[in-house]
Amino acid sequence: MPDRTQTIAYPAPGSRPSRRDPEPLAPHVIVLFGATGDLAKRKLLPGLAYLQQSKFTPDVRVIGTATEDLTSDEFRERARKAVETFGTHKMSDEEWAQFADRLEYVPVTAGPDALASAVKAAEELLGPDARRLHYLSVPPKAAQAVIAMLRDAGLVERARVVMEKPFGDDLATAIDLNDFVHETFDESQIFRIDHFLGKEAALNILAFRFANGLFEPIWNRNFIDHVQIDIPESLGLDQRATFYEPTGAFKDMVVTHLMQVMSFVAMEPPTALEPRAISEEKNKVFRSMLPINPGDVVRGQYSGYRGEVGVAPDSDTETFIALKVEIDNWRWAGVPFYLRTGKKMAEGQRIISIAFKEAPKTMFPSGSGVGSEGPDHLTFDLADSSRVSLSFYGKRPGPGMRLEKLSMQFSTQETGSAGDVLEAYERLILDAMRGDHTLFTTAEGIESLWDRSAPLLEDPPPVKPYQPGTWGPNAIHQLIAPRAWRLPFEREWRQAKQ
Ligand code: BG6
């Protein structure tokens, strides 16, 4: 496994440090709360194993903790299965042994003192500079208990804490939760994770927008007609009814992932790619959002949802949502942002589509086909191997003047650096260890999102049924008319040549 640490943009040796340089990586004890849960199994343990294997985090020790009574050996066995099943990179026996050697388990039932002494023992092995990263992969109610426990166990100093959504249920509960956490940790120690922002493709939006003279000048209401952020999922509840039933698609996906991605699409250029500047610009987007009008929202529920185990027979939870969001600022006034996501839909996709205003068509002969296939589009695919496509009209070869939609496409797969892609959690854990808040959300940002969501939360439109395997209830077409949803795509992405 090559040492990839050189690929991070660290300052060159001897160069003058700037405020944009990340903190060098100190040795870390990572305490993983919820270590036997689904997220730990699918993402966090495989991610930590890869970070160690690739030498991004050479000096870490991981202490798993959860309610289950396991020995450290039993936990290592589970971690090995998780890495084998869900890991994105193969590990040799020797690499596994190196990682396993750094894993311990302390059951919650052993109490705060047992956890504190395991942390101390790990710190002794790592030396005096060791820091702590507490990863709270637990539901919000349990998160409060964990924070109290960290305080009682004296594990707050030299520590950072990563918290998973949902950050409250509405403005009042978000404020309460933020206040509660702030009693123990200051904001600089808190990392509220939204894994969509850790995806390479999400970061590429910033690179694409701000590094290119071609696109930067046209990124506004004078040239852009509308934007779609469309994240249909083909998967269903996946045994998560206890979480999903009180949450629903809006709180699970929109007020979190889709709006965070939207802020990257819509923000003004930050003064630097550093946390404060980026948070400021993101928060300005959220503050400029008009309160969500329930009349601009379609809530859907797939047929059969009410029969799922753990779901109320008269449940009003939406498993689908499509909505129009307006950002009422100088750049975006009058440009609608359409957001859609749902479970058990026809396809799993994650796209952002920018539709440009159309050119006048009068010079082309009638029947030329100009404009007949919709406006020019710039499309980002947020898949791990990200893709970008720019569609435009071009002349069909041959006599006369027939126009057709063509496209230029780019895929990370074709660059030979697809193997360097960090999974979102890997990147974000690494950033949290370096104290880099750039891709994390702030208390203020979360609170303004809840504030703008209040009209919808207070008066949600009734859920409309949709058949599993479709694109949602019919009302989605009225919501976007006279425009149209990009998905399903009329033309497939081109496949990379092997
Ligand atoms: C999670 C949601 O945060 O994101 C899930 O709770 C959703 O419901 C998932 O399926 C989607 O993330 P990804 O990265 O798998 O597309």
Side-chain angles (χ1 to χ4, degrees), residues 143-157:
Q144 300 212 10
V146 170
I147 300 249
M149 201 264 250
L150 288 171
R151 185 190 56 213
D152 298 345
L155 293 174
V156 174
E157 249 178 61

mmCIF file of all heavy atoms in Angstrom, residues 143-157:
data_model
loop_
_atom_site.group_PDB
_atom_site.id
_atom_site.type_symbol
_atom_site.label_atom_id
_atom_site.label_comp_id
_atom_site.label_asym_id
_atom_site.label_seq_id
_atom_site.Cartn_x
_atom_site.Cartn_y
_atom_site.Cartn_z
ATOM 1 N N ALA A 143 -26.875 10.585 22.317
ATOM 2 C CA ALA A 143 -25.750 11.521 22.187
ATOM 3 C C ALA A 143 -25.654 12.408 23.420
ATOM 4 O O ALA A 143 -24.560 12.677 23.924
ATOM 5 C CB ALA A 143 -25.906 12.371 20.931
ATOM 6 N N GLN A 144 -26.808 12.822 23.934
ATOM 7 C CA GLN A 144 -26.770 13.683 25.123
ATOM 8 C C GLN A 144 -26.181 12.907 26.308
ATOM 9 O O GLN A 144 -25.374 13.454 27.066
ATOM 10 C CB GLN A 144 -28.173 14.166 25.466
ATOM 11 C CG GLN A 144 -28.773 14.966 24.312
ATOM 12 C CD GLN A 144 -29.721 16.059 24.784
ATOM 13 O OE1 GLN A 144 -29.807 16.352 25.966
ATOM 14 N NE2 GLN A 144 -30.417 16.666 23.850
ATOM 15 N N ALA A 145 -26.567 11.635 26.445
ATOM 16 C CA ALA A 145 -26.045 10.828 27.547
ATOM 17 C C ALA A 145 -24.533 10.633 27.381
ATOM 18 O O ALA A 145 -23.774 10.667 28.354
ATOM 19 C CB ALA A 145 -26.754 9.484 27.590
ATOM 20 N N VAL A 146 -24.090 10.447 26.136
ATOM 21 C CA VAL A 146 -22.650 10.245 25.908
ATOM 22 C C VAL A 146 -21.874 11.512 26.279
ATOM 23 O O VAL A 146 -20.819 11.453 26.911
ATOM 24 C CB VAL A 146 -22.376 9.850 24.433
ATOM 25 C CG1 VAL A 146 -20.887 9.884 24.137
ATOM 26 C CG2 VAL A 146 -22.950 8.485 24.125
ATOM 27 N N ILE A 147 -22.431 12.666 25.908
ATOM 28 C CA ILE A 147 -21.735 13.927 26.232
ATOM 29 C C ILE A 147 -21.602 14.066 27.747
ATOM 30 O O ILE A 147 -20.538 14.426 28.263
ATOM 31 C CB ILE A 147 -22.516 15.123 25.638
ATOM 32 C CG1 ILE A 147 -22.599 14.945 24.130
ATOM 33 C CG2 ILE A 147 -21.936 16.460 26.090
ATOM 34 C CD1 ILE A 147 -21.862 15.850 23.266
ATOM 35 N N ALA A 148 -22.688 13.752 28.453
ATOM 36 C CA ALA A 148 -22.634 13.851 29.917
ATOM 37 C C ALA A 148 -21.585 12.879 30.461
ATOM 38 O O ALA A 148 -20.821 13.205 31.372
ATOM 39 C CB ALA A 148 -24.006 13.546 30.503
ATOM 40 N N MET A 149 -21.534 11.699 29.848
ATOM 41 C CA MET A 149 -20.583 10.683 30.304
ATOM 42 C C MET A 149 -19.135 11.137 30.047
ATOM 43 O O MET A 149 -18.260 10.962 30.899
ATOM 44 C CB MET A 149 -20.904 9.395 29.544
ATOM 45 C CG MET A 149 -20.407 8.168 30.180
ATOM 46 S SD MET A 149 -18.877 7.741 29.447
ATOM 47 C CE MET A 149 -19.378 6.295 28.568
ATOM 48 N N LEU A 150 -18.908 11.756 28.904
ATOM 49 C CA LEU A 150 -17.547 12.231 28.595
ATOM 50 C C LEU A 150 -17.117 13.281 29.616
ATOM 51 O O LEU A 150 -15.962 13.313 30.055
ATOM 52 C CB LEU A 150 -17.504 12.826 27.183
ATOM 53 C CG LEU A 150 -17.609 11.811 26.043
ATOM 54 C CD1 LEU A 150 -17.789 12.513 24.698
ATOM 55 C CD2 LEU A 150 -16.358 10.927 25.995
ATOM 56 N N ARG A 151 -18.093 14.115 29.991
ATOM 57 C CA ARG A 151 -17.795 15.144 30.993
ATOM 58 C C ARG A 151 -17.446 14.454 32.312
ATOM 59 O O ARG A 151 -16.411 14.744 32.914
ATOM 60 C CB ARG A 151 -19.029 16.039 31.127
ATOM 61 C CG ARG A 151 -18.852 17.240 32.037
ATOM 62 C CD ARG A 151 -20.189 17.897 32.291
ATOM 63 N NE ARG A 151 -21.140 16.927 32.839
ATOM 64 C CZ ARG A 151 -22.460 16.934 32.599
ATOM 65 N NH1 ARG A 151 -22.989 17.841 31.812
ATOM 66 N NH2 ARG A 151 -23.245 16.027 33.146
ATOM 67 N N ASP A 152 -18.292 13.496 32.739
ATOM 68 C CA ASP A 152 -18.061 12.828 34.029
ATOM 69 C C ASP A 152 -16.760 12.029 34.037
ATOM 70 O O ASP A 152 -16.109 11.897 35.063
ATOM 71 C CB ASP A 152 -19.224 11.888 34.370
ATOM 72 C CG ASP A 152 -20.519 12.682 34.509
ATOM 73 O OD1 ASP A 152 -20.425 13.931 34.629
ATOM 74 O OD2 ASP A 152 -21.609 12.068 34.452
ATOM 75 N N ALA A 153 -16.399 11.490 32.871
ATOM 76 C CA ALA A 153 -15.185 10.665 32.814
ATOM 77 C C ALA A 153 -13.927 11.524 32.625
ATOM 78 O O ALA A 153 -12.827 10.990 32.529
ATOM 79 C CB ALA A 153 -15.311 9.650 31.679
ATOM 80 N N GLY A 154 -14.109 12.840 32.532
ATOM 81 C CA GLY A 154 -12.950 13.727 32.368
ATOM 82 C C GLY A 154 -12.271 13.559 31.013
ATOM 83 O O GLY A 154 -11.045 13.629 30.902
ATOM 84 N N LEU A 155 -13.067 13.335 29.958
ATOM 85 C CA LEU A 155 -12.470 13.098 28.635
ATOM 86 C C LEU A 155 -12.738 14.261 27.655
ATOM 87 O O LEU A 155 -12.815 14.063 26.452
ATOM 88 C CB LEU A 155 -13.035 11.785 28.057
ATOM 89 C CG LEU A 155 -12.616 10.519 28.804
ATOM 90 C CD1 LEU A 155 -13.326 9.288 28.253
ATOM 91 C CD2 LEU A 155 -11.098 10.325 28.729
ATOM 92 N N VAL A 156 -12.907 15.451 28.217
ATOM 93 C CA VAL A 156 -13.258 16.608 27.383
ATOM 94 C C VAL A 156 -12.013 17.370 26.914
ATOM 95 O O VAL A 156 -11.967 17.909 25.816
ATOM 96 C CB VAL A 156 -14.218 17.543 28.166
ATOM 97 C CG1 VAL A 156 -14.495 18.820 27.403
ATOM 98 C CG2 VAL A 156 -15.509 16.802 28.496
ATOM 99 N N GLU A 157 -11.007 17.373 27.772
ATOM 100 C CA GLU A 157 -9.780 18.097 27.417
ATOM 101 C C GLU A 157 -9.081 17.465 26.224
ATOM 102 O O GLU A 157 -9.105 16.234 26.081
ATOM 103 C CB GLU A 157 -8.810 17.988 28.590
ATOM 104 C CG GLU A 157 -8.583 19.282 29.301
ATOM 105 C CD GLU A 157 -7.655 19.023 30.454
ATOM 106 O OE1 GLU A 157 -6.510 18.591 30.205
ATOM 107 O OE2 GLU A 157 -8.115 19.204 31.593
#
